Structures are given as C-alpha cells and as structure tokens.
Amino acid sequence: MVGNIIKRHDRVSSSILRLSLLKLALIILRLNPPKRSQGSAIIFTFPKFSLILGGVASGKSRLAESLVRQANRPRTYIATAQAFDGEMADKIKQHQLDRGPDWSTIETPIAVPEALKSIPENQIVLIDCMTLWLSNLILSENCPKDPSEPLLTAVRSSNFPIVTVSNEVGHSVIPDTQLGRRFQKDQGRLNAKLAAEADLVVMVTAGIPQVLKGRLPANMA
C-alpha cells in the first residue's frame, strides 16, 4: 500500500517536472527564435514584368539596371530617348557609360511594341523610359487614343522578363499649357495601367527603393 502511494507520487512528480521543462523550453524559444537556415530562405522568382517609378534624377534607372543584372541573362536595352540637343546627347552618353558595354541596344523612340516582338526568348529587356516614349508618341502624328494597349499586348505575349522605367509626374505642379496638361494626365494613366499589369512595382525616392507591389531580391531590398 505504502509502496503504491510512493510510486504514484513519483509518477506525478515526474510529470510535473516534464511539464515544467517543456514550459521552460517554450520560453527560451520565444526569447531566442531559431534563425532561418540558408536552405529554408525564400527563393526569389524573377518577375515577368517590373515597373520602376521615380522623379527626375531619383536613381530609378540605376535601380532598374541593377535589377536586370539579377536575372543572369543576356541583356537588351530599349532606348526611347532622342538627342535633340547637346545636353540630351551628353545625358544619353552618360547612361551608356553607366550601364557598361555588355548590353544589346535597340534605339526606338516610338516602336517599342514592335521591338519587343523581335527579341529572343533568352534575353531580359530594360525599356528606358516610358515617359520619353509617351512624349514621342504625343508629339507624333499617329498617336493612338490609348497608347498603352499595343504596349501591354506586346508585354503579355513576350516570353522573357521585362523591366521598364517611368517618371512619376503626379507630384509636380499642373502645367500651364494644354499640351503639358494632356501629357501629365496621359502619363499618370499609363503608369496606372503598367502598375496594374506588373508583378513588381518600385518607387524610387532619393535613391531609396520603396516596394509598392511584389518583392525585390534580398540583396536589393
């Protein structure tokens, strides 16, 4: 009888001890959560279509070029700028020096959708920029009512990643000319449609990226 009581007492004491140790272990885990191992880290999948927004000289083109390099693919640069004067020619030359020689370049102020159809599937494409492309279209004689449609159709049918750069013009003053107001309105609408289509949208301010949609690679976030 006494022996049975002692055995039951020992079992109860043992259960209480195990429960106390379990609670202690849980407390330690909360205070010191296990670090994520390299093998369990989230794998970055390169987005099919990315939009990099920013103001003038915000660092948006530099970020876009850095993102393109993450893909480890042959790189194609679609340039929409036109050198109408010496200042613009110098700016284009500086962009070329900044991104380096290991790019294939297509210079096309307007025919961006057509250029996308000619690019091999193993490439990654950077379009810089949508703002100049839109202004070129508006100043041309054949500007469609909605210029985003042929562009988005070409993007959807492409089998390679595309990164594009565009200016955020909604933070600036309202232009005092009818043409300027039209451009500002059309640019805002174009940006909104590109952002809706994009898997990744980043706003760059003073060189600092702010992810609005999707995810940047860990070494760029």
Side-chain angles (χ1 to χ4, degrees), residues 3-175:
N4 290 336
I5 293 174
I6 293 173
K7 287 180 181 179
R8 285 198 297 272
H9 180 272
D10 288 343
R11 285 198 296 270
V12 171
S13 298
S14 178
S15 298
I16 293 173
L17 178 60
R18 286 198 297 269
L19 183 60
S20 298
L21 290 173
L22 178 60
K23 288 182 177 179
L24 179 60
L26 290 173
I27 291 171
I28 292 173
L29 283 174
R30 290 193 189 102
L31 294 175
N32 300 284
K35 293 182 179 179
R36 186 190 295 271
S37 66
Q38 182 130 8
S40 64
I42 298 173
I43 297 174
F44 174 74
T45 301
F46 203 92
K48 170 75 163 47
F49 181 50
S50 304
L51 172 64
I52 312 300
L53 296 164
V56 175
S58 61
K60 59 188 182 299
S61 291
R62 186 170 299 174
L63 181 85
E65 291 165 10
S66 297
L67 178 61
V68 167
R69 292 188 180 94
Q70 301 291 317
N72 293 320
R73 286 175 173 237
R75 300 186 280 272
T76 295
Y77 186 93
I78 296 182
T80 60
Q82 301 182 78
F84 289 121
D85 54 32
E87 182 181 354
M88 193 62 184
D90 290 341
K91 185 175 181 179
I92 291 172
K93 186 176 180 180
Q94 187 60 53
H95 269 278
Q96 292 170 343
L97 291 172
D98 289 343
R99 67 176 178 267
D102 50 346
W103 295 71
S104 299
T105 300
I106 300 174
E107 295 185 5
T108 176
I110 291 176
V112 172
E114 292 79 4
L116 288 173
K117 296 175 184 177
S118 68
I119 295 171
E121 292 185 6
N122 68 326
Q123 302 280 309
I124 180 168
V125 175
L126 172 57
I127 307 172
D128 195 358
C129 68
M130 288 291 95
T131 305
L132 289 174
W133 174 73
L134 180 62
S135 63
N136 293 336
L137 270 174
I138 290 175
L139 294 174
S140 70
E141 296 179 356
N142 300 312
C143 181
K145 186 175 181 180
D146 184 1
S148 66
E149 280 309 307
L151 175 66
L152 290 175
T153 298
V155 167
R156 294 182 189 119
S157 61
S158 299
N159 294 319
F160 44 77
I162 298 170
V163 178
T164 189
V165 176
S166 191
N167 279 59
E168 174 51 63
V169 297
H171 297 164
S172 58
V173 299
I174 297 175

